[in-house]
Short mmCIF file of all heavy atoms in Angstrom, two decimals:
data_model
loop_
_atom_site.label_atom_id
_atom_site.label_comp_id
_atom_site.label_asym_id
_atom_site.label_seq_id
_atom_site.Cartn_x
_atom_site.Cartn_y
_atom_site.Cartn_z
N LEU Q 1 100.01 85.47 98.84
CA LEU Q 1 100.14 85.60 100.30
C LEU Q 1 100.58 84.29 100.94
O LEU Q 1 101.37 84.28 101.90
CB LEU Q 1 98.78 86.03 100.89
CG LEU Q 1 98.34 87.49 100.63
CD1 LEU Q 1 96.91 87.72 101.07
CD2 LEU Q 1 99.31 88.43 101.33
N LEU Q 2 100.06 83.20 100.42
CA LEU Q 2 100.46 81.88 100.98
C LEU Q 2 101.92 81.63 100.73
O LEU Q 2 102.67 81.08 101.59
CB LEU Q 2 99.60 80.77 100.33
CG LEU Q 2 98.15 80.74 100.77
CD1 LEU Q 2 97.39 79.67 99.95
CD2 LEU Q 2 98.03 80.42 102.25
N VAL Q 3 102.39 81.98 99.53
CA VAL Q 3 103.83 81.84 99.20
C VAL Q 3 104.65 82.72 100.14
O VAL Q 3 105.69 82.27 100.69
CB VAL Q 3 104.08 82.21 97.75
CG1 VAL Q 3 105.57 82.30 97.46
CG2 VAL Q 3 103.44 81.18 96.83
N ALA Q 4 104.23 83.95 100.34
CA ALA Q 4 104.97 84.89 101.16
C ALA Q 4 105.05 84.43 102.60
O ALA Q 4 106.00 84.75 103.34
CB ALA Q 4 104.33 86.28 101.08
N GLN Q 5 104.05 83.72 103.08
CA GLN Q 5 103.99 83.28 104.48
C GLN Q 5 104.69 81.93 104.71
O GLN Q 5 104.67 81.42 105.80
CB GLN Q 5 102.54 83.22 104.94
CG GLN Q 5 101.86 84.58 105.02
CD GLN Q 5 100.39 84.50 105.28
OE1 GLN Q 5 99.81 83.40 105.40
NE2 GLN Q 5 99.74 85.67 105.34
N ASN Q 6 105.23 81.35 103.69
CA ASN Q 6 105.88 80.05 103.81
C ASN Q 6 107.39 80.25 103.85
O ASN Q 6 107.99 80.65 102.84
CB ASN Q 6 105.48 79.15 102.61
CG ASN Q 6 105.98 77.73 102.77
OD1 ASN Q 6 106.91 77.45 103.50
ND2 ASN Q 6 105.27 76.82 102.10
N PRO Q 7 108.04 79.92 104.97
CA PRO Q 7 109.50 80.14 105.06
C PRO Q 7 110.30 79.28 104.07
O PRO Q 7 111.37 79.70 103.62
CB PRO Q 7 109.81 79.76 106.49
CG PRO Q 7 108.69 78.90 106.95
CD PRO Q 7 107.49 79.40 106.24
N VAL Q 8 109.76 78.15 103.73
CA VAL Q 8 110.44 77.27 102.77
C VAL Q 8 110.61 77.97 101.44
O VAL Q 8 111.64 77.86 100.77
CB VAL Q 8 109.70 75.95 102.61
CG1 VAL Q 8 110.33 75.09 101.50
CG2 VAL Q 8 109.70 75.15 103.92
N ASN Q 9 109.55 78.67 101.04
CA ASN Q 9 109.63 79.38 99.75
C ASN Q 9 110.67 80.51 99.82
O ASN Q 9 111.40 80.74 98.83
CB ASN Q 9 108.26 80.00 99.43
CG ASN Q 9 107.22 78.95 99.11
OD1 ASN Q 9 107.55 77.90 98.60
ND2 ASN Q 9 105.99 79.24 99.45
N HIS Q 10 110.77 81.22 100.93
CA HIS Q 10 111.81 82.24 101.04
C HIS Q 10 113.21 81.65 101.00
O HIS Q 10 114.09 82.25 100.40
CB HIS Q 10 111.59 83.04 102.34
CG HIS Q 10 110.48 84.05 102.27
ND1 HIS Q 10 110.49 85.12 101.41
CD2 HIS Q 10 109.29 84.13 102.90
CE1 HIS Q 10 109.41 85.85 101.55
NE2 HIS Q 10 108.64 85.25 102.45
N VAL Q 11 113.37 80.51 101.66
CA VAL Q 11 114.69 79.87 101.62
C VAL Q 11 115.05 79.47 100.18
O VAL Q 11 116.17 79.67 99.72
CB VAL Q 11 114.72 78.62 102.53
CG1 VAL Q 11 116.00 77.82 102.30
CG2 VAL Q 11 114.61 79.05 103.98
N ALA Q 12 114.05 78.98 99.46
CA ALA Q 12 114.29 78.59 98.05
C ALA Q 12 114.64 79.80 97.20
O ALA Q 12 115.55 79.75 96.37
CB ALA Q 12 113.06 77.88 97.48
N LEU Q 13 113.98 80.91 97.47
CA LEU Q 13 114.29 82.16 96.73
C LEU Q 13 115.72 82.63 97.12
O LEU Q 13 116.47 83.12 96.24
CB LEU Q 13 113.29 83.24 97.05
CG LEU Q 13 111.88 83.04 96.44
CD1 LEU Q 13 110.92 84.02 97.03
CD2 LEU Q 13 111.96 83.17 94.91
N GLY Q 14 116.09 82.50 98.35
CA GLY Q 14 117.44 82.84 98.77
C GLY Q 14 118.49 81.98 98.10
O GLY Q 14 119.52 82.48 97.60
N ASP Q 15 118.20 80.71 98.01
CA ASP Q 15 119.13 79.77 97.34
C ASP Q 15 119.26 80.14 95.86
O ASP Q 15 120.37 80.07 95.28
CB ASP Q 15 118.59 78.36 97.44
CG ASP Q 15 118.61 77.81 98.86
OD1 ASP Q 15 119.24 78.44 99.72
OD2 ASP Q 15 118.01 76.74 99.09
N SER Q 16 118.18 80.57 95.24
CA SER Q 16 118.23 80.87 93.81
C SER Q 16 119.04 82.11 93.52
O SER Q 16 119.50 82.30 92.38
CB SER Q 16 116.83 81.00 93.24
OG SER Q 16 116.20 82.18 93.79
N ALA Q 17 119.24 82.97 94.52
CA ALA Q 17 120.03 84.18 94.30
C ALA Q 17 121.51 83.87 94.08
O ALA Q 17 122.23 84.57 93.41
CB ALA Q 17 119.89 85.12 95.51
N GLY Q 18 121.94 82.72 94.65
CA GLY Q 18 123.32 82.27 94.43
C GLY Q 18 124.34 83.04 95.24
O GLY Q 18 124.03 84.05 95.89
N LEU Q 19 125.60 82.56 95.22
CA LEU Q 19 126.67 83.16 95.97
C LEU Q 19 127.16 84.46 95.41
O LEU Q 19 127.89 85.19 96.08
CB LEU Q 19 127.83 82.15 96.07
CG LEU Q 19 127.52 80.85 96.78
CD1 LEU Q 19 128.76 79.92 96.74
CD2 LEU Q 19 127.09 81.05 98.20
N MET Q 20 126.72 84.78 94.21
CA MET Q 20 127.11 86.06 93.62
C MET Q 20 126.27 87.24 94.11
O MET Q 20 126.61 88.38 93.92
CB MET Q 20 127.03 86.00 92.09
CG MET Q 20 128.05 85.03 91.48
SD MET Q 20 129.77 85.61 91.63
CE MET Q 20 129.80 86.92 90.41
N HIS Q 21 125.17 86.91 94.80
CA HIS Q 21 124.25 87.94 95.24
C HIS Q 21 123.87 87.66 96.73
O HIS Q 21 122.64 87.43 97.00
CB HIS Q 21 123.01 88.04 94.35
CG HIS Q 21 123.34 88.28 92.91
ND1 HIS Q 21 123.72 89.53 92.44
CD2 HIS Q 21 123.35 87.43 91.85
CE1 HIS Q 21 123.94 89.44 91.14
NE2 HIS Q 21 123.71 88.18 90.78
N PRO Q 22 124.80 87.69 97.62
CA PRO Q 22 124.47 87.33 99.01
C PRO Q 22 123.52 88.32 99.69
O PRO Q 22 122.83 87.95 100.60
CB PRO Q 22 125.86 87.33 99.69
CG PRO Q 22 126.71 88.21 98.85
CD PRO Q 22 126.23 87.97 97.44
N ASP Q 23 123.54 89.58 99.22
CA ASP Q 23 122.64 90.55 99.81
C ASP Q 23 121.17 90.18 99.51
O ASP Q 23 120.31 90.30 100.38
CB ASP Q 23 122.94 91.97 99.28
CG ASP Q 23 122.98 92.05 97.80
OD1 ASP Q 23 123.25 91.02 97.11
OD2 ASP Q 23 122.76 93.18 97.25
N VAL Q 24 120.91 89.74 98.30
CA VAL Q 24 119.60 89.32 97.87
C VAL Q 24 119.19 88.05 98.65
O VAL Q 24 118.09 87.95 99.20
CB VAL Q 24 119.52 89.06 96.39
CG1 VAL Q 24 118.12 88.55 96.01
CG2 VAL Q 24 119.81 90.35 95.62
N ALA Q 25 120.11 87.10 98.71
CA ALA Q 25 119.88 85.85 99.42
C ALA Q 25 119.57 86.14 100.90
O ALA Q 25 118.61 85.57 101.49
CB ALA Q 25 121.10 84.91 99.30
N LEU Q 26 120.33 87.01 101.51
CA LEU Q 26 120.13 87.35 102.91
C LEU Q 26 118.72 87.88 103.18
O LEU Q 26 118.11 87.48 104.19
CB LEU Q 26 121.20 88.34 103.38
CG LEU Q 26 121.10 88.84 104.80
CD1 LEU Q 26 121.23 87.62 105.77
CD2 LEU Q 26 122.16 89.90 105.11
N ARG Q 27 118.25 88.74 102.31
CA ARG Q 27 116.90 89.29 102.52
C ARG Q 27 115.84 88.22 102.55
O ARG Q 27 114.94 88.23 103.36
CB ARG Q 27 116.59 90.31 101.46
CG ARG Q 27 117.34 91.63 101.61
CD ARG Q 27 116.71 92.73 100.78
NE ARG Q 27 116.81 92.50 99.36
CZ ARG Q 27 117.84 92.89 98.57
NH1 ARG Q 27 118.87 93.52 99.15
NH2 ARG Q 27 117.82 92.68 97.29
N HIS Q 28 115.97 87.21 101.69
CA HIS Q 28 115.04 86.10 101.66
C HIS Q 28 115.16 85.23 102.88
O HIS Q 28 114.17 84.81 103.49
CB HIS Q 28 115.18 85.27 100.40
CG HIS Q 28 114.69 85.96 99.16
ND1 HIS Q 28 113.35 86.27 99.01
CD2 HIS Q 28 115.32 86.39 98.03
CE1 HIS Q 28 113.20 86.87 97.81
NE2 HIS Q 28 114.40 86.97 97.23
#
C-alpha cells in the first residue's frame, strides 16, 4: 500500500516499461 501511494514509485515503474510499451508507462 505504501508503494502504491508513492508517486515516485509509479514514475519509476513507468520508466521501466520503456519506449516500446508507452501504454504501460502511461498507466503508471
Side-chain angles (χ1 to χ4, degrees):
L1 288 172
L2 290 174
V3 169
Q5 292 172 0
N6 188 336
V8 174
N9 292 328
H10 282 296
V11 170
L13 288 169
D15 293 348
S16 68
L19 298 178
M20 293 293 284
H21 303 284
D23 54 334
V24 177
L26 178 61
R27 288 197 294 272
H28 286 296

